[in-house]
């Protein structure tokens, strides 16, 4: 006997296919074992043509049942080795959608489930919620939660501020898309069994940078109730002057004159992305440590630099779980990516840029920072400096500010399999992702376990998932399985959970770095 959808209760199920009733129409998904999944459910209209650089608008309602079994178009981007995307996925401007995973309702269910909303990473210009690593089935099943993954505009379409060219261009469109998706979750997730009053937003890398930005955005107030930021580049946010310089360079690369900016609304999106890829490589190559596309202080969505808002105690009053990986920069060296400076020369150039963009910093202060890296003339020292400048210290500064008023927990992910250690990746950037989602590759195709370590890795993953899930449900990352107690982070003792083969709780594990860098955030503006 099938249970028909109950519109009053917001429950759903169907013998053959899961159905959910959103405010725009009914959507059908598919079963993946005991979990239902709906792929590419629209939360906004396709931002194409005149709307290409405009705020997201609600989708047009539909009649009948919309099939949401397969992925739709992913955000236009320059495909590359940096972010592995399945070759059968197609790019297009109809890319504003979410995926939803929800466990099968049980007869005993009388409460909606906690909701976890994922913002993927990719240096603000790459990636998609359709990547296999972000399949939410195992997380949803392990924690009896509803998992939502968000697709949003990227690169020149989402994070290149062209507003200096006129009112037809809106800055921070990627963040606006995420706000629209969170509003969709608030208004529709009950139809999928989720609790709109218990939403955790979580993300990694630039997705975590979006999380830290949204934590300081007035418009995000009330749209989520907890936040997790994994390796956030929280200080990589630009001012409008800097953004205008990059936008002008983009116009030059497109060979457009000052009076031809309206052509950006008409050119093939493939051309915009192709030329954008040149810009996205050019900026970090010429100015190590900088990105071409990133959130911008626009005076509206972001009224000030997020890191300043954190340090002034102006972030939203929600529990926060935040941290970084021990060897963040190693992955960029292996992939030969220009996104991060990983050579002594590049790090030197980055330091000179920091000094130039922070005239209030004395030469003594710069010298104090560099003194923490005695191997700065070698790759090892350069990788350490890059890791700390981009991720570790920004995460620490955010934690220091947020802990002034809200429960905050800080971690450092130190675990690496024997193969990743041998490859000199260690606990590199993004290596924690399979542990959070539980999505390890098969033994035959994933080199992670070529030298063993699968059993230990599964145990590490289980502990991380239980902590993340407990945080999403209760606002406290306490795994009720005998795991090490994880005290809150307070600036006085900087208690941090070191995630490894055996978890450890350590006070101020990066004390020397805090002494060298100081309490005042240093970033790229």
């Amino acid at each position: 006997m099938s249970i028909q959808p109950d519109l009053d209760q917001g429950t759903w199920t169907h013998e053959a296919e899961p159905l959910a009733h959103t405010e725009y129409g009914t959507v059908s998904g598919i079963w993946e074992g005991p979990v239902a999944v709906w792929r590419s459910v629209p939360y906004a209209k396709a931002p194409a043509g005149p709307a290409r650089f405009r705020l997201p608008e609600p989708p047009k309602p539909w009649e009948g049942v919309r099939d949401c079994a397969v992925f739709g178009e992913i955000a236009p981007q320059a495909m590359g080795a940096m972010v592995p995307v399945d070759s059968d996925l197609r790019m297009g401007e109809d890319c504003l959608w979410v995926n939803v995973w929800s466990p099968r309702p049980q007869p005993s269910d009388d409460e909606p489930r906690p909701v976890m909303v994922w913002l993927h990473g990719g240096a603000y210009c790459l990636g998609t919620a359709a990547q296999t690593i972000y399949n939410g089935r195992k997380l949803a099943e392990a924690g009896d939660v509803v998992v939502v993954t968000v697709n949003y505009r990227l690169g020149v379409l989402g994070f290149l501020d062209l507003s200096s060219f006129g009112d037809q261009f809106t800055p921070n469109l990627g963040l606006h898309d995420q706000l629209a998706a969170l509003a969709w979750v608030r208004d529709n997730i009950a139809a999928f069994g989720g609790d709109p009053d218990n939403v955790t937003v979580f993300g990694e890398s630039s997705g975590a940078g979006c999380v830290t930005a949204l934590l300081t955005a007035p418009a995000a107030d009330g749209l989520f109730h907890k936040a997790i930021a994994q390796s956030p580049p929280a200080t990589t946010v630009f001012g409008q002057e800097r953004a205008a310089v990059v936008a002008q360079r983009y116009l030059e690369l497109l060979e457009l004159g000052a009076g031809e900016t309206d052509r950006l609304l008409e050119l093939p999106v493939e051309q915009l992305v192709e030329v954008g890829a040149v810009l996205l490589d050019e900026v970090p190559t010429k100015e190590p440590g900088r990105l071409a596309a990133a959130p911008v202080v626009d005076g509206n969505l972001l009224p000030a630099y997020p890191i300043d808002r954190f340090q002034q105690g102006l972030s939203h009053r929600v529990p926060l779980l935040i941290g970084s990986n021990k060897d963040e920069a190693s992955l960029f060296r292996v992939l030969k990516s220009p996104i991060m400076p990983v050579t002594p020369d590049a790090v030197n150039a980055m330091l000179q840029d920091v000094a130039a963009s922070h005239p209030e910093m004395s030469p003594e202060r710069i010298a104090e920072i560099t003194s923490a890296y005695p191997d700065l003339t070698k790759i090892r020292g350069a990788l350490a400096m890059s890791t700390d400048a981009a991720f570790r210290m920004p995460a620490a500064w955010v934690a220091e500010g947020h802990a002034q008023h809200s429960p905050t927990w800080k971690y450092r992910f130190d675990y690496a399999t024997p193969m990743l250690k041998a490859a000199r990746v260690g606990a590199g950037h993004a290596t924690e992702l399979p542990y959070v989602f539980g999505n390890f590759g098969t033994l035959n195709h994933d080199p992670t376990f070529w030298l063993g370590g699968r059993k230990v890795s599964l145990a590490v993953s289980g502990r991380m998932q239980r902590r993340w899930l407990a945080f999403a449900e209760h606002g406290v990352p306490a795994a009720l399985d005998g795991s090490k107690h994880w005290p809150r982070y307070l600036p006085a003792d900087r208690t941090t959970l070191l995630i490894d083969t055996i978890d450890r709780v350590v006070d101020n594990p990066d004390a020397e770095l805090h002494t060298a860098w100081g309490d005042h955030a240093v970033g790229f503006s």
Side-chain angles (χ1 to χ4, degrees):
M1 181 177 118
S2 66
I3 305 172
Q4 296 302 317
D6 183 338
L7 295 180
D8 294 329
Q9 299 300 315
T11 57
W12 58 267
T13 188
H14 192 280
E15 206 168 61
E17 60 187 10
L19 297 175
H21 301 271
T22 77
E23 62 184 322
Y24 304 107
T26 301
V27 290
S28 67
I30 58 172
W31 290 104
E32 290 185 350
V35 176
V37 56
W38 293 263
R39 296 188 176 96
S40 298
V41 180
Y43 64 82
K45 284 198 297 195
R52 180 176 279 169
F53 295 99
R54 292 279 189 186
L55 294 173
E57 297 180 6
K60 185 178 179 182
W62 57 87
E63 296 182 358
V65 177
R66 183 182 181 116
D67 184 1
C68 289
V70 299
F71 292 120
E73 295 178 345
I74 69 170
Q77 60 193 273
M79 299 291 199
M82 189 66 197
V83 175
V85 173
D86 293 345
S87 58
D88 59 343
L89 295 172
R90 65 189 188 283
M91 292 187 294
E93 292 188 87
D94 192 4
C95 60
L96 302 187
W97 45 259
V98 295
N99 306 312
V100 182
W101 285 266
S102 185
R104 184 190 298 270
Q106 302 299 319
S108 60
D109 285 351
D110 57 359
E111 291 185 4
R113 293 175 166 88
V115 181
M116 299 182 74
V117 179
W118 177 253
L119 305 179
H120 70 80
Y124 299 108
C125 60
L126 300 166
T128 169
Q131 287 170 252
T132 306
I133 187 72
Y134 306 135
N135 185 307
R137 175 194 162 177
K138 291 180 180 175
L139 196 58
E141 190 174 355
D144 199 31
V145 298
V146 175
V147 176
V148 179
T149 59
V150 179
N151 220 59
Y152 53 91
R153 278 174 281 186
L154 300 167
V156 296
L157 299 171
F159 288 97
L160 189 65
D161 178 11
L162 305 174
S163 61
S164 55
F165 298 151
D167 293 341
Q168 66 271 48
F169 301 100
T170 305
N172 289 318
L173 286 171
L175 292 176
H176 281 289
D177 292 346
Q178 294 162 8
L179 287 171
L182 286 164
W184 181 93
V185 166
R186 177 195 62 202
D187 298 337
N188 294 279
I189 206 63
F192 299 82
D195 183 353
D197 295 320
N198 190 5
V199 174
T200 299
V201 63
F202 68 136
E204 183 267 346
S205 193
S206 58
C210 293
V211 170
T212 52
L214 293 175
L215 275 165
T216 71
D221 189 25
L223 288 178
F224 55 88
H225 312 96
K226 303 174 208 75
I228 301 174
Q230 300 168 207
S231 305
T235 53
T236 301
V237 178
F238 300 141
Q240 287 177 300
E241 287 184 18
R242 158 77 188 169
V245 170
V246 177
Q248 187 56 45
R249 176 59 182 154
Y250 182 55
L251 215 58
E252 291 172 9
L253 289 170
L254 280 168
E255 298 181 352
L256 294 179
E260 299 179 284
T261 52
D262 280 352
R263 290 197 59 203
L264 292 167
L265 308 177
E266 306 161 357
L267 289 172
V269 70
E270 294 80 8
Q271 184 179 350
L272 296 184
V273 169
E274 186 179 339
V275 175
V278 175
L279 180 74
L280 295 168
D281 275 349
E282 179 184 281
V283 169
T285 301
K286 286 185 174 180
E287 303 174 80
R290 289 187 184 269
L291 297 178
V296 174
V297 176
D298 58 6
N300 177 22
L301 179 58
L302 296 183
Y305 288 102
I307 200 69
D308 291 343
R309 299 266 292 176
F310 277 107
Q311 297 198 318
Q312 293 161 10
L314 297 175
S315 51
H316 296 309
R317 265 62 174 164
V318 300
L320 171 65
L321 193 162
I322 189 168
S324 60
N325 296 357
K326 187 177 181 182
D327 309 302
E328 296 276 8
S330 62
L331 185 74
F332 299 89
R333 177 184 63 84
V334 170
L335 295 177
K336 295 182 171 60
S337 167
I339 289 175
M340 280 186 73
V342 294
T343 65
D345 286 347
V347 166
N348 241 352
M350 177 184 75
L351 288 170
Q352 290 171 8
D353 195 6
V354 167
S357 58
H358 292 273
E360 76 282 2
M361 285 179 65
S362 67
E364 290 78 16
R365 175 89 195 279
I366 299 284
E368 193 174 0
I369 293 172
T370 56
S371 69
Y373 305 89
D375 296 329
L376 212 48
T377 57
K378 301 173 185 173
I379 290 291
R380 182 174 57 186
L383 291 174
M385 165 69 85
S386 199
T387 287
D388 297 340
F391 301 110
R392 184 169 299 161
M393 292 311 301
W397 290 320
V398 167
E400 301 267 310
H402 199 71
Q404 294 175 58
H405 57 70
S406 295
T408 301
W409 287 266
K410 189 162 176 289
Y411 73 88
R412 195 179 77 199
F413 183 78
D414 289 4
Y415 179 71
T417 63
M419 183 65 193
L420 288 180
K421 287 179 181 176
R424 295 185 180 180
V425 172
H429 191 62
T431 56
E432 89 286 3
L433 288 174
Y435 297 85
V436 172
F437 281 91
N439 295 329
F440 295 99
T442 65
L443 184 62
N444 294 331
H445 298 101
D446 185 348
T448 303
F449 300 120
W450 281 359
L451 297 179
R454 180 180 287 273
K455 185 177 179 182
V456 174
S457 294
L458 291 174
V460 172
S461 176
R463 290 199 305 274
M464 285 190 76
Q465 284 194 329
R466 286 189 289 274
R467 292 187 190 280
W468 265 231
L469 290 163
F471 180 78
E473 185 169 3
H474 303 295
V476 179
L480 303 178
D481 58 358
S483 294
K484 179 77 68 177
H485 174 59
W486 185 359
R488 281 167 56 172
Y489 183 92
L490 297 171
D493 47 31
R494 297 188 175 120
T495 304
T496 303
L497 179 74
L498 305 187
I499 300 172
D500 208 333
T501 304
I502 297 173
D503 292 348
R504 293 186 297 139
V505 172
V506 177
D507 285 347
N508 208 359
D510 300 314
E512 291 181 7
L513 297 179
H514 280 279
T515 300
W517 285 86
D519 295 331
H520 184 72
V522 180
F524 298 96
S525 53

